[in-house]
Amino acid sequence: MTPFPRPDYAPLEPYAPDRRPIAVDLSDNTNRWGVHPGALAAVAGASAEDFLRYPPVYADHLRAAVAERFGVPMEAVSTGCGSDDLLDSLFRATGVMGEGVRFIPPTFSMIEIFARMNGLEAMPLEREAGAGPESPFGPLPDPARLLEGGPAMVYLCRPNNPTGEVQPRRWVDAVIEAAEGAGTVVAVDEAYADFLDPRVEDPDDLLRAAAGSRRLVVLRTLSKVYGLAGLRVGYAVGSPEVIRELEKSRGPYKVNRMAEAAGVAALRDEAGWIPGILDEVRVERTRLAQELSDRGLAALPSGANFLCVPLAGAELSVDPTAAAVTAAFREREVAIRPFPALPGIGEAVRVSIGPRAEMDAFLQALDEIRG
Ligand SMILES: *Cc1c(COP(=O)(O)O)cnc(C)c1O
């Protein structure tokens, strides 16, 4: 018998982001403009039945809304209590104890945690050095290298959290092709795909491709631009074969009735609320990058609703470490997310994009910290 507590859980700690109340919270990339109004109305219309009765077992109303929105079959869609839930389920569906999950650091911090939670091994593949003005993130690995050692799953995040990097689509396609050749599932976490520039690429193209693929799963969340982080709604698209396995490991009743109704209304976006928010995010992101650059801070190019700001060489009145800078902002009622010693980047902070007044509050705090 395995002793309790199980030894492989020893390095795990309960997730503990700094959640103390603050005036301007730019720490978690949620929608600083507010909640999707259609979702709010759907929850306001909840009845006693919605509390009393179990929801649809596999959230079929939400699956249908996703299917309709993207023109994919309902059997190609799964849903979950946030996309974290789907990621967690996908780890269980793809790997058995002791197998590995491949990813390229720095990326979503929950990946290593979900791997360990499910008895899987983290298989980070460090990028080669060589970052420069042409390629601030450094070269991406050859797709074949991601499959070395036979991982049970390859995880990519595009745009990547916490860097904002939008990996070239042809590289992503090459990774998918290599993985499918090896029979390995590839999860592309598109938590921030809503923010991709539609003039550059169709943000939904990979998601649609997933429905007809063999081993690709695309994951999305309603926690970011839709403003529903508190309700916990996510969805995934893949081939019906892969989605069926995902649903098995996910289990029933993961999306509650209010969350499902809100998610359906938000995805339909009948009043066209989302495009206006996306425009403002892009405008404020460009402006903030410029304001930072005017102050000698070069944010990394970002395709998401945040900027990753390396601190090396920053001239500040505090140490240019992630911890000291985050604390200095907190003293000025602005929360940002510290990223100490990011591989290939060093000390950095991540700042969510919000309405102009919040960006100005951030810049004012920054000017005070610069002294
Ligand atoms: C926010 C985020 C998620 C998950 O969000 P949920 O709230 O669980 O839906 C997943 N992946 C990345 C990269 C994120 O930043």
Side-chain angles (χ1 to χ4, degrees):
M1 196 188 81
T2 316
F4 180 84
R6 51 189 276 188
D8 61 336
Y9 266 33
L12 281 175
E13 291 288 338
Y15 189 52
D18 190 345
R19 281 274 173 262
R20 287 173 292 163
I22 196 151
V24 179
D25 190 345
L26 306 176
S27 72
D28 62 9
N29 306 334
T30 50
N31 188 337
R32 299 299 307 160
W33 282 264
V35 185
H36 191 286
L40 208 52
V43 172
S47 68
E49 287 279 283
D50 289 317
F51 289 76
L52 281 166
R53 297 187 51 220
Y54 278 96
V57 189
Y58 289 100
D60 278 356
H61 300 308
L62 183 59
R63 292 177 85 193
V66 173
E68 188 190 336
R69 155 88 187 266
F70 298 106
V72 299
M74 208 171 129
E75 297 69 39
V77 182
S78 181
T79 61
C81 176
S83 62
D84 277 0
D85 182 31
L86 286 159
L87 273 170
D88 181 36
S89 304
L90 193 59
F91 278 49
R92 274 195 299 286
T94 55
V96 296
M97 287 283 240
E99 289 192 300
V101 177
R102 174 77 80 214
F103 57 93
I104 304 168
T107 191
F108 192 34
S109 61
M110 292 304 292
I111 293 311
E112 294 205 51
I113 298 168
F114 286 137
R116 204 171 271 281
M117 270 166 62
N118 289 295
L120 305 180
E121 198 194 319
M123 295 173 80
L125 178 66
E126 304 282 344
R127 287 168 88 130
E128 281 156 42
E134 297 295 305
S135 160
F137 302 103
L140 285 159
D142 178 6
R145 289 201 57 211
L146 289 170
L147 295 154
E148 281 171 10
M153 184 180 114
V154 174
Y155 171 88
L156 302 177
C157 185
R158 180 181 193 266
N160 187 41
N161 182 7
T163 60
E165 179 183 20
V166 182
Q167 305 87 334
R169 178 57 198 273
R170 59 183 184 284
W171 177 81
V172 175
D173 287 341
V175 171
I176 295 164
E177 199 184 312
E180 293 198 327
T184 305
V185 168
V186 193
V188 180
D189 187 338
E190 290 198 337
Y192 300 98
D194 297 284
F195 302 100
L196 289 171
D197 189 341
R199 291 164 305 184
V200 176
E201 65 175 294
D202 175 353
D204 301 329
D205 188 61
L206 196 67
L207 180 147
R208 286 198 201 90
S213 76
R214 280 182 297 145
R215 290 286 179 267
L216 169 64
V217 181
V218 165
L219 301 133
R220 295 262 183 115
T221 175
L222 300 194
S223 296
K224 306 287 156 59
V225 68
Y226 290 91
L228 305 186
L231 282 180
R232 318 297 305 123
V233 192
Y235 58 94
V237 174
S239 72
E241 183 204 352
V242 173
I243 290 298
R244 195 177 130 77
E245 296 309 302
L246 177 54
E247 298 262 90
K248 283 189 204 169
S249 70
R250 186 209 82 145
Y253 307 129
K254 286 302 186 77
V255 181
N256 73 66
R257 295 177 79 97
M258 274 67 93
E260 182 166 18
V264 167
L267 277 170
R268 288 195 183 134
D269 192 31
E270 272 163 13
W273 187 75
I274 296 290
I277 302 288
L278 294 175
D279 282 346
E280 273 195 67
V281 167
R282 286 187 209 106
V283 168
E284 290 307 322
R285 185 177 66 201
T286 305
R287 189 176 80 97
L288 183 64
Q290 184 61 51
E291 295 284 354
L292 285 166
S293 142
D294 292 347
R295 291 163 173 81
L297 288 162
L300 297 171
S302 169
N305 67 336
F306 57 80
L307 289 177
C308 181
V309 188
L311 297 169
E315 287 183 24
L316 303 170
S317 64
V318 299
D319 283 345
T321 63
V325 170
T326 302
F329 272 97
R330 182 161 271 280
E331 277 169 27
R332 293 163 179 84
E333 283 295 315
V334 177
I336 56 176
R337 187 64 67 93
F339 286 93
L342 277 185
I345 292 167
E347 295 289 309
V349 291
R350 192 192 66 195
V351 185
S352 304
I353 302 300
R356 175 149 306 197
E358 295 201 343
M359 298 293 91
D360 287 343
F362 168 85
L363 288 167
Q364 196 191 322
L366 175 60
D367 286 338
E368 287 174 30
I369 295 164
R370 290 170 72 227

